[in-house]
Amino acid sequence: MNRFALLAPFALAAYAPSGRAQSPPLFPIAECMTVADTIISVRFGYESLAVNILNLPVTAEDNIFIGGGISPWVGQPVVFVPGRHRDVFRADFDLLESPTYTWVIAGRFLHIADDLPLCRDPEQRQVIGMLECLQPPSSGNPLAQARFGYINMGATLALPQRTSRNYFAHPAGIFSSVSQRGQPSLFATGVQRNAFTVQFDPISEPLLIWEIDGEPVPAALNLPNVPLCTPLANLIFADGFEPNV
């Protein structure tokens, strides 16, 4: 008999605490797992039937993980876009430490199962981030600018900001107030140039790092072979940037 039980998404609503307002139509999903001794690494996704984006911050009672000595926050998102989204974040669980772990969110309880399908191996990245160009500070603007693009080698993919697959690192903490720097949450298929631009202070933040789909994309003024940007105005150039000459 499994030590875990997985509640089907359509049945989770029955576990909403009584007396509360109707829960948002958001359903947590455990996608698959990998196993190493007593540790299972689980990939999570979700399905949101809401029309608009849902914001569900980690609180003492909501959008938390419980069980054993696990931290309430293990990388789960706090922004949920409509639709079905797979492999949004991953978390590790020690089966010896606790007989059960649960993701509590939107009035629903997702109990992790040990009979989940195994994740594909080897893992393959789908989104590759690119640093398009850099603009040093000028006399009228003390901030530098970094322009980013990406390549999505698969279907359109949702990777919400501040999740473990889409954030800006910062010395004060991986997920801090600057983890969201205008990067997209929805990644279209193919090569996408000039997806977003980040302004940063090269003195207090000499190295800017966009973590996207498991790999860092660094930006710093001293990086070699990175062209200079010029203002795009409302134009998109064929090669993704217009270098200064």
Side-chain angles (χ1 to χ4, degrees), residues 4 66-68 70 93-94 97-103 110-112:
F4 296 84
I66 57 176
I70 196 170
F93 305 92
D94 189 337
E97 185 177 294
S98 174
T100 185
Y101 294 89
T102 304
W103 186 12
L110 177 63
H111 301 302
I112 313 307

Side-chain angles (χ1 to χ4, degrees), residues 17-163:
S18 61
R20 291 187 177 180
Q22 185 176 2
S23 299
L26 176 69
F27 302 94
I29 299 170
E31 306 281 7
C32 62
M33 69 176 182
T34 56
V35 182
D37 296 326
T38 64
I39 305 297
I40 59 172
S41 180
V42 180
R43 300 185 188 183
F44 291 92
Y46 65 87
E47 182 166 11
S48 175
L49 303 182
V51 176
N52 301 315
I53 294 175
L54 297 175
N55 292 275
L56 298 174
V58 176
T59 68
E61 297 181 350
D62 196 21
N63 198 7
I64 58 173
F65 275 81
I66 57 176
I70 196 170
S71 169
W73 185 83
V74 298
Q76 66 268 34
V78 296
V79 178
F80 299 85
V81 297
R84 173 70 167 94
H85 305 289
R86 295 173 172 80
D87 198 8
V88 177
F89 70 100
R90 309 172 194 185
D92 297 334
F93 305 92
D94 189 337
L95 301 184
L96 289 182
E97 185 177 294
S98 174
T100 185
Y101 294 89
T102 304
W103 186 12
V104 182
I105 184 170
R108 299 178 174 86
F109 295 73
L110 177 63
H111 301 302
I112 313 307
D114 63 356
D115 59 350
L116 290 171
L118 294 177
C119 301
R120 59 189 172 93
D121 187 37
E123 298 177 359
Q124 296 180 348
R125 294 177 61 202
Q126 180 173 332
V127 177
I128 299 175
M130 302 182 296
L131 174 63
E132 301 275 10
C133 58
L134 287 164
Q135 181 63 50
S138 62
S139 57
N141 185 3
L143 300 179
Q145 297 186 45
R147 194 176 300 160
F148 295 91
Y150 65 86
I151 302 173
N152 182 355
M153 300 179 289
T156 299
L157 180 66
L159 295 177
Q161 296 179 6
R162 298 187 75 241
T163 65

